[in-house]
Amino acid sequence: MRTVGWDNDAVKMIDQRALPWKLEFVRLETVEAVAESIRNMTVRGAPAIGAAAGFGITLAACQSQARAIDGLIDDLRLYGDLLKAARPTAVNLAWAVDQLLAIAASGEFRNPDDLRAVLLQAAQQIADDDVAINSRMGAHGATLINDGATVLHHCNTGALATVDYGTALGVIRAAFEGGKNIHVLLDETRPRLQGSRLSAWELEQLGINYDIIPDTAAGYYMQKGEVDIILVGADRVAANGDFANKIGTYQLAIMAQAHGIPFYTVAPTSTIDLCLGSGDLIPIEQRDAAEVTTPYGNPIVPAHFNARNPAFDVTPHRYLSGIVTEHGIARRPFRESLRRAVAGEAL
Ligand code: MRU
């Protein structure tokens, strides 16, 4: 089942806010609604956001009243900016929009309807490629997991965070499907609880053993020697290997190093941003403090209590054992291995 797709002149996606209680789909008929679905996290996870944005641009092309190609391209640029502004950290969003805008601006199209048809094909291709890439990352990454291992995982990086199959959770799935006996410790991932709500829901479907743990218990299990490897996703990887991921990843990386536990991120090359030399240049989204004080509408403190809610943090590359990509596992020096991965070379 795909997280996001095209459905008769609309974008169809799972409403991730309703899980694990209800599996519901929403159908969005305007590009503004797609931008809002990214902002309010109906759809979330870097590759899933990228795919949604690709279909969003296709929708924008259908929505545009422009009769001439130049007018259509102008409209696509405006809508592209709207989509890109929805969430700043995951580079897959801008990457997907820019892929489609480059096709529009290629000079190959005179007729707006021809361009509309090609944009739909290209958005569909981004979604299809995502599934194929995740399966390749799964195969590479599964070699890192030993039979009987306990894997610690943060946030949700599974089928829901992508078009299907997943990145870090896809690696866990590939190892499990390859016959390995695996146990997963799922950080609940406050404040939006992607670990307990979404990753646990996915592992239930797959029949993979797991326990949800409070985020604050990760160090406890590492200290007891119960964590063999840590796998996380990424929202943006800089050229030197520093990477942004869900808030809480940085502290896990430091604890992993203190305990000698291998720590990997799993990221398709669409998440690698070679334009940024290091992680301090990655824009970090600051979300509404109400997600901390009143998660999912349930007040846990009075609404006027002060809170802050950074959605991501940056983990310096020195804490990484490697980066699993669709072309193999990038090792240090990351500047070199990431450049080769983005060029499509086998690692
Ligand atoms: O705020 P979210 O839920 O979109 O954050 C998601 C993550 O941080 C994931 O780890 C990342 O997107 C990689 S998922 C394939």
Side-chain angles (χ1 to χ4, degrees):
M1 178 177 34
R2 291 195 170 200
T3 303
V4 56
W6 185 253
D7 181 43
N8 288 327
D9 291 345
V11 182
K12 189 174 168 191
M13 59 177 66
I14 294 176
D15 186 346
Q16 299 195 34
R17 299 166 306 172
L19 287 168
W21 307 109
K22 281 184 284 184
L23 178 60
E24 281 177 354
F25 288 83
V26 288
R27 213 171 160 276
L28 307 173
E29 295 181 355
T30 65
V31 62
E32 289 85 355
V34 174
E36 179 54 25
S37 74
I38 294 172
R39 201 174 301 115
N40 69 22
M41 295 174 68
T42 302
V43 61
R44 46 139 305 276
I49 293 172
F55 290 122
I57 286 288
T58 308
L59 201 50
C62 300
Q63 216 174 305
S64 166
Q65 302 293 315
R67 298 222 181 116
I69 197 79
D70 289 347
L72 177 56
I73 294 172
D74 287 346
D75 283 351
L76 292 180
R77 289 202 175 109
L78 283 175
Y79 284 128
D81 289 344
L82 176 81
L83 288 164
K84 284 183 190 179
R87 293 191 77 188
T89 303
V91 74
N92 304 61
L93 201 174
W95 173 86
V97 168
D98 289 341
Q99 296 267 314
L100 297 206
L101 290 185
I103 293 173
S106 65
E108 282 177 36
F109 302 94
R110 293 255 160 273
N111 178 340
D113 284 339
D114 291 347
L115 176 56
R116 289 183 175 103
V118 169
L119 289 176
L120 175 55
Q121 278 171 15
Q124 196 62 61
Q125 192 66 51
I126 287 175
D128 293 346
D129 286 350
D130 180 64
V131 185
I133 283 168
N134 293 339
S135 150
R136 285 163 61 192
M137 290 196 297
H140 291 303
T143 61
L144 300 169
I145 302 182
N146 295 327
D147 190 22
T150 294
V151 185
L152 191 137
H153 175 270
H154 194 59
C155 195
N156 170 263
T157 66
L160 291 167
T162 60
V163 178
D164 204 353
Y165 206 79
T167 61
L169 222 50
V171 165
I172 290 167
R173 177 174 174 175
F176 172 77
E177 286 171 350
K180 290 177 186 166
N181 180 21
I182 294 169
H183 191 83
V184 188
L185 293 176
L186 292 174
D187 276 356
E188 59 181 354
T189 317
R190 287 191 179 250
R192 291 194 63 110
L193 301 168
Q194 290 94 329
S196 46
R197 291 173 38 245
L198 306 177
S199 296
W201 182 78
E202 289 197 38
L203 294 190
E204 284 278 335
Q205 319 280 311
L206 294 166
I208 300 176
N209 290 325
Y210 70 89
D211 289 303
I212 299 165
I213 60 167
D215 298 325
T216 41
Y220 169 83
Y221 286 110
M222 289 189 218
Q223 193 180 42
K224 280 169 63 85
E226 291 191 24
V227 178
D228 297 303
I229 184 169
I230 300 176
L231 296 177
V232 298
D235 288 81
R236 193 183 300 226
V237 183
N240 68 346
D242 297 350
F243 72 104
N245 190 51
K246 179 51 55 196
I247 192 76
T249 302
Y250 173 49
Q251 61 203 31
L252 285 179
I254 292 176
M255 285 192 282
Q257 191 175 71
H259 292 93
I261 298 168
F263 180 89
Y264 288 86
T265 182
V266 183
T269 48
S270 54
T271 302
I272 300 171
D273 186 354
L274 295 182
C275 298
L276 297 188
S278 60
D280 49 339
L281 300 169
I282 300 175
I284 299 296
E285 176 184 11
Q286 306 290 324
R287 292 188 64 85
D288 191 342
E291 292 182 345
V292 178
T293 58
T294 314
Y296 296 94
N298 299 312
I300 50 175
V301 294
H304 70 275
F305 277 22
N306 297 331
R308 293 190 196 181
N309 188 14
F312 301 96
D313 57 27
V314 173
T315 299
H317 62 87
R318 64 179 175 278
Y319 296 109
L320 265 176
S321 309
I323 302 173
V324 180
T325 76
E326 68 269 34
H327 300 297
I329 302 174
R331 305 274 183 188
R332 60 190 82 250
F334 289 114
R335 261 185 215 287
E336 176 58 17
S337 56
L338 292 178
R339 189 193 55 71
R340 288 180 48 218
V342 170
E345 288 177 36
L347 300 176

